[in-house]
Amino acid sequence: MRKATLRRETTETKVEMTLNLDCQEPVNIETGIGFFDHMLTLFARHSRISLEVKVEGDLDVDSHHTVEDVGIVLGQCIQEALGDKARINRYGTSFVPMDESLGMVSLDLSGRSYLVFDAVFDNPTLGSFDTELTEEFFQALAFNTQMNLHLKILYGKNTHHKIEALFKAAGRALREAITENPEIQGVNSTKGML
């Protein structure tokens, strides 16, 4: 099975994570940031992966270090679990509506890190979550998974809905990309590696 368990400890955070790309349970998220827990749970459910996350972070400062470090470790876990990336689709794209908002995510597990983030949030906080950290999370995820990641809100008003659409679309795009395709022989690249 394609799985990984990693622990990352700094003076700011301690992140423990277990991920399984081929199993949907369990999903247990404990970051200390309610809205972020909700988004990570949505991401896991829509990507149909098992994800267990436990974080002790310096939330007395703010939520930045916790959110960014979870993105780092999640990216590293996905990268490790994918191994040589043989037979995976490699690409994934998803459009997800969330009431009045529409989010799009397109990604390529290319081995090259790049983020395009096109979203504006009018509400600066949702609970204890700073909404500008949405981009920081996806930046850390893209660079540590070594993928091209494009996220865009096509339209919408409600900040919660916009961010939720992006997390759901990211999960669904990831599921498409990591799915093993029996029609693909070896790695889906003319270079012979990803």
Side-chain angles (χ1 to χ4, degrees):
M1 295 189 101
R2 300 176 297 169
K3 56 187 178 180
T5 297
L6 292 175
R7 177 186 173 109
R8 181 178 193 268
E9 188 167 353
T10 71
T11 57
E12 298 167 340
T13 65
K14 180 169 67 175
V15 180
E16 299 176 11
M17 187 178 299
T18 298
L19 170 148
N20 188 327
L21 301 179
D22 299 312
C23 188
Q24 297 184 45
E25 295 290 343
V27 174
N28 294 310
I29 314 292
E30 297 177 31
T31 68
I33 307 165
F35 180 78
F36 190 43
D37 288 355
H38 179 44
M39 293 301 104
L40 290 173
T41 300
L42 293 172
F43 175 83
R45 294 294 186 203
H46 283 266
S47 59
R48 298 196 302 275
I49 63 172
S50 171
L51 183 62
E52 296 179 272
V53 181
K54 185 168 181 60
V55 185
E56 294 176 23
D58 57 353
L59 298 180
D60 57 314
V61 176
D62 67 11
S63 53
H64 188 287
H65 300 138
T66 295
V67 172
E68 183 177 34
D69 288 1
V70 168
I72 289 169
V73 178
L74 180 57
Q76 291 171 345
C77 278
I78 293 170
Q79 180 75 344
E80 181 177 318
L82 284 171
D84 65 3
K85 302 180 186 174
R87 297 176 305 284
I88 65 167
N89 284 324
R90 172 180 169 177
Y91 298 98
T93 298
S94 180
F95 289 81
V96 169
M98 183 66 198
D99 294 349
E100 86 298 340
S101 299
L102 181 64
M104 182 280 299
V105 174
S106 190
L107 61 87
D108 175 10
L109 296 170
S110 61
R112 296 185 310 277
S113 304
Y114 202 87
L115 176 72
V116 175
F117 188 88
D118 186 0
V120 175
F121 307 126
D122 294 329
N123 191 343
T125 58
L126 294 169
S128 61
F129 181 81
D130 297 326
T131 58
E132 69 180 7
L133 295 180
T134 307
E135 182 172 1
E136 295 295 328
F137 169 78
F138 284 114
Q139 174 87 9
L141 179 65
F143 275 70
N144 286 275
T145 310
Q146 296 179 16
M147 67 174 162
N148 279 203
L149 179 58
H150 295 244
L151 303 100
K152 182 177 178 65
I153 291 297
L154 284 82
Y155 46 80
K157 295 179 182 177
N158 184 285
T159 298
H160 185 130
H161 294 165
K162 290 179 182 179
I163 294 174
E164 185 165 332
L166 290 179
F167 272 86
K168 287 179 175 177
R172 297 178 68 83
L174 181 67
R175 169 42 55 191
E176 181 182 354
I178 65 176
T179 296
E180 293 179 314
N181 185 337
E183 296 179 2
I184 298 172
Q185 296 184 2
V187 175
N188 194 8
S189 172
T190 57
K191 297 177 182 177
M193 64 175 290
L194 289 172

